[in-house]
């Protein structure tokens, strides 16, 4: 199989990964977004097959048993995310590079499996309060109430412990500056042999 490169973006919920991913994709024609599978409910602004493959728990477990995932994780209780092997192969076969927007452990699993092909970037914010405000403003899921926000915030401390294992850590305080840094990092990685 022909191998390309991969950009792995990880960080806590609300750190800005998705916003940054969309921006990077708009600037690099050779990058294609890797669509992950998830068992969570679809949000209002999302589309199946574009943002995620929204599948049932049974379907997800079947794919695990059949070794169809390159990485998968139970990110929150009964809430699974995973990257299909065929998704990466499809992108590389089309002579493009892969962009991932994945949870922290998923990002590290990808980096471990593709150490020579990957650039891993951890997106961080400077305080829990900033994340909390972003999650409240996002309020994108019908069930996204206080318990969900608290569950995600509790996980941040654990996720931040893994930041040093990524190639780069970007502190996303000013989105304009973050985008500039990201363009530089991605450009240097994609266009060097």
């Amino acid at each position: 199989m022909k191998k390309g490169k991969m950009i792995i973006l990880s960080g806590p919920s609300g750190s800005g990964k998705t916003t940054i991913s969309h921006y990077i994709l708009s600037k690099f024609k050779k990058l294609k977004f890797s669509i992950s599978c998830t068992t969570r409910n679809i949000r209002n602004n999302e589309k199946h097959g574009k943002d995620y493959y929204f599948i049932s728990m049974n379907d997800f477990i079947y794919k695990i048993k059949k070794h169809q995932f390159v990485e998968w994780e139970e990110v929150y209780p009964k809430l699974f995310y995973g990257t299909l092997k065929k998704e990466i192969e499809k992108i590389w076969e089309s002579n493009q590079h892969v962009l991932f927007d994945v949870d922290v452990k998923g990002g590290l699993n990808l980096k471990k499996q593709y150490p020579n092909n990957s650039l891993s970037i951890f997106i961080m914010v400077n305080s829990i309060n900033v994340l909390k405000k972003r999650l409240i403003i996002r309020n994108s899921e019908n069930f996204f109430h206080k318990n969900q926000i608290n569950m995600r915030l509790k996980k941040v401390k654990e996720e931040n412990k893994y930041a040093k294992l990524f190639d780069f850590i970007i502190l996303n305080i000013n989105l304009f500056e973050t985008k500039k840094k990201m363009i530089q990092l991605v450009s240097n990685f994609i266009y060097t042999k």
Side-chain angles (χ1 to χ4, degrees):
M1 180 188 67
K2 184 173 184 169
K3 285 193 177 181
K5 293 183 179 182
M6 53 175 64
I7 309 295
I8 303 164
L9 289 187
S10 291
S13 283
S15 60
K17 295 185 304 290
T18 304
T19 300
I20 293 164
S21 294
H22 289 304
Y23 179 75
I24 292 169
L25 287 167
S26 74
K27 297 295 179 189
F28 293 93
K29 300 288 184 244
K30 291 289 282 179
L31 265 184
K32 182 117 169 77
F33 183 65
S34 171
I35 302 168
S36 300
C37 290
T38 185
T39 59
R40 78 159 167 76
N41 293 331
I42 191 166
R43 294 174 184 159
N44 293 334
N45 58 340
E46 292 175 326
K47 288 190 171 110
H48 175 80
K50 180 178 181 281
D51 299 291
Y52 287 95
Y53 298 116
F54 296 94
I55 64 175
S56 69
M57 184 72 76
N58 287 342
D59 197 11
F60 202 101
I61 290 166
Y62 172 82
K63 290 178 186 307
I64 291 170
K65 288 178 180 172
K66 292 293 183 182
H67 306 287
Q68 293 180 15
F69 290 110
V70 68
E71 63 81 27
W72 63 271
E73 189 72 33
E74 187 176 10
V75 178
Y76 300 100
K78 297 183 182 176
L79 189 56
F80 289 78
Y81 288 85
T83 303
L84 293 166
K85 292 174 184 174
K86 69 179 185 181
E87 184 72 12
I88 298 171
E89 292 165 7
K90 181 177 73 175
I91 293 169
W92 281 347
E93 286 298 323
S94 69
N95 288 321
Q96 290 180 298
H97 304 298
V98 188
L99 175 69
F100 294 95
D101 171 351
V102 291
D103 70 281
V104 174
K105 289 185 180 175
L108 290 174
N109 283 335
L110 287 166
K111 180 179 167 51
K112 186 177 176 182
Q113 291 182 60
Y114 300 95
N116 302 320
N117 299 69
S118 63
L119 172 69
S120 61
I121 303 167
F122 189 93
I123 309 295
M124 188 181 262
V125 295
N126 56 339
S127 81
I128 294 286
N129 286 336
V130 170
L131 277 180
K132 187 173 185 175
K133 283 179 189 168
R134 288 180 184 178
L135 290 172
I136 290 168
I137 289 167
R138 183 162 85 185
N139 194 17
S140 52
E141 296 158 278
N142 296 335
F143 63 91
F144 204 64
H145 52 70
K146 201 172 184 178
N147 289 346
Q148 263 71 30
I149 290 172
N150 289 338
M151 183 174 66
R152 287 168 188 247
L153 292 174
K154 196 190 287 186
K155 194 171 180 188
V156 172
K157 288 178 186 170
E158 183 64 28
E159 289 174 319
N160 283 347
K161 290 178 189 172
Y162 294 101
K164 62 183 178 290
L165 301 175
F166 286 77
D167 298 320
F168 291 94
I169 299 170
I170 300 280
L171 189 58
N172 184 20
I173 298 171
N174 177 308
L175 188 57
F176 177 77
E177 289 301 319
T178 298
K179 287 176 175 179
K180 265 177 36 179
K181 286 179 196 164
M182 289 299 301
I183 290 293
Q184 188 178 4
L185 287 173
V186 172
S187 185
N188 288 345
F189 180 69
I190 286 180
Y191 298 117
T192 53
K193 294 280 182 188

